[in-house]
Amino acid sequence: MSNHTTAGTKKRSSYHQPHRKPARETLERILSAAEDQLREQELDAFTIQAVLQRTGLSVGAFYSRFPDKTALIHELQERVHLRVEARISNNLSLETEVVQSLEEAVDSGFGVLIRHMLDERRLFSAFIMLSVFDPVMRERGEQFNL
């Protein structure tokens, strides 16, 4: 198991963090395919088999990295949150350089947040729906919101 840092706290990941480049590339293919599938299809259609069809990888390639679909989705949520958080932070720092008043700062900040959330609305929608029954996803979503 590996550690990741999010918002200053460490969490335990339930997937096998690869050390060699080919294994990292395989993991990236799985995560990218999973992300694409969640963007393009409803959550009900999200299956390990559908993800693997996109990658051309075997079931064994998946299970050597993740114990189950839940672990994949947890890692996907972490990946998306980190990426979007970095983009939001970057855009907010750029926006504050041109803001004149508090009202403009609030409008600008909300605009940045809304733009980035809407860019990934299918993914965030899936994470929100899953967080109703998954306390790990709910906690991560709450951390991201902070």
Side-chain angles (χ1 to χ4, degrees):
M1 291 193 174
S2 64
N3 291 326
H4 292 278
T5 303
T6 305
T9 62
K10 281 192 172 188
K11 66 130 181 136
R12 295 292 286 175
S13 166
S14 60
Y15 80 99
H16 177 261
Q17 179 66 36
H19 300 288
R20 293 183 20 241
K21 184 178 178 181
R24 286 192 307 269
E25 290 170 352
T26 299
L27 175 64
E28 177 59 31
R29 284 173 57 196
I30 292 170
L31 290 170
S32 292
E35 200 171 308
D36 290 344
Q37 178 162 353
L38 272 179
R39 273 194 198 99
E40 296 167 13
Q41 297 179 334
E42 295 297 319
L43 184 58
D44 293 343
F46 186 84
T47 64
I48 293 169
Q49 189 60 38
V51 170
L52 292 175
Q53 284 176 345
R54 289 173 177 264
T55 65
L57 296 169
S58 69
V59 173
F62 176 84
Y63 284 108
S64 69
R65 287 158 183 83
F66 297 96
D68 54 28
K69 182 170 83 170
T70 300
L72 170 62
I73 292 174
H74 285 174
E75 189 56 33
L76 198 56
Q77 179 191 31
E78 182 78 9
R79 169 186 162 119
V80 171
H81 281 184
L82 289 174
R83 183 179 62 237
V84 171
E85 186 176 292
R87 288 178 184 166
I88 289 170
S89 244
N90 184 47
N91 286 161
L92 286 175
S93 67
L94 294 173
E95 294 282 330
T96 58
E97 295 173 5
V98 296
V99 170
Q100 301 297 318
S101 69
L102 178 60
E103 182 180 349
E104 289 174 338
V106 171
D107 286 346
S108 175
F110 276 115
V112 167
L113 292 172
I114 290 168
R115 252 189 336 269
H116 287 286
M117 297 300 286
L118 288 176
D119 285 347
E120 298 291 2
R121 71 178 144 261
R122 296 289 301 258
L123 296 173
F124 283 113
S125 175
F127 299 152
I128 290 167
M129 289 176 20
L130 290 166
S131 71
V132 171
F133 301 103
D134 186 331
V136 172
M137 291 199 78
R138 184 172 39 257
E139 181 182 341
R140 288 179 180 175
E142 290 168 359
Q143 285 178 339
F144 175 72
N145 290 336
L146 290 175

